[in-house]
Amino acid sequence: HLGAQSGDTLKLAAMPSIGSSKNAEADKDGTAQLDVDVTALTMKDGVITSCVIDSVQAKVSFNAAGEVTTDLSAPVQTKNQLGKNYGMVAWGGAIAEWNEQAAAFAAYVTGKTPADVAGIAVNEGTKPTGADLSASVTIAIGGFQALIAKAAQ
């Protein structure tokens, strides 16, 4: 329940994007990609009482002739479901996997107001600059902040 209690108000938000899609070229497949970031949070008296964040990157590859080259029967997992298999630590040298960093951010904003979350200091890449949060979250959080703002409306 992550801190949610009877009487809290459940808030949900999703933010989709197709910005990572790429056209096919003669020698390289294209990708139709839908990225969706989601949050479920609870609030009481304007304060976040629980929060969970997840994301999915649904990708379908296709060649220059427009033929799908992806196995459409393969399951699409969220970043939380992928866990260590997302590969941020193994392939990117991150301090923690995406799901761990998202959970750390969610725990950090619990007990704060949406205005507090919007006011979290970030750099130009929207990565947190405060020592307390950046100790556990090194990924960009601008999308997380936008999700919280959208859910709180």
Side-chain angles (χ1 to χ4, degrees):
H1 58 81
L2 301 174
Q5 296 188 11
S6 178
D8 291 355
T9 301
L10 175 64
K11 305 279 192 162
L12 305 171
M15 298 185 72
S17 170
I18 58 169
S20 297
S21 296
K22 295 183 173 92
N23 291 328
E25 299 175 15
D27 60 343
K28 186 176 180 184
D29 281 358
T31 304
Q33 181 170 330
L34 175 63
D35 299 327
V36 183
D37 298 328
V38 297
T39 189
L41 57 89
T42 55
M43 296 182 69
K44 185 167 186 126
D45 300 325
V47 175
I48 298 167
T49 57
S50 70
C51 180
V52 65
I53 296 172
D54 203 352
S55 183
V56 66
Q57 295 173 315
K59 301 176 186 180
V60 175
S61 297
F62 56 93
N63 61 26
E67 300 163 329
V68 173
T69 58
T70 297
D71 177 4
L72 298 178
S73 66
V76 177
Q77 293 183 304
T78 71
K79 291 180 181 180
N80 284 346
Q81 290 171 319
L82 287 167
K84 69 178 181 175
N85 292 327
Y86 186 63
M88 282 181 50
V89 172
W91 301 105
I95 65 165
E97 288 298 339
W98 187 96
N99 64 306
E100 296 166 319
Q101 294 192 49
F105 178 84
Y108 180 82
V109 302
T110 299
K112 294 181 176 19
T113 67
D116 295 335
V117 175
I120 295 171
V122 296
N123 64 20
E124 62 279 352
T126 75
K127 293 181 180 183
T129 58
D132 52 346
L133 183 56
S134 62
S136 59
V137 180
T138 59
I139 58 177
I141 62 165
F144 294 168
Q145 290 172 300
L147 271 173
I148 300 296
K150 185 174 182 179
Q153 295 177 341

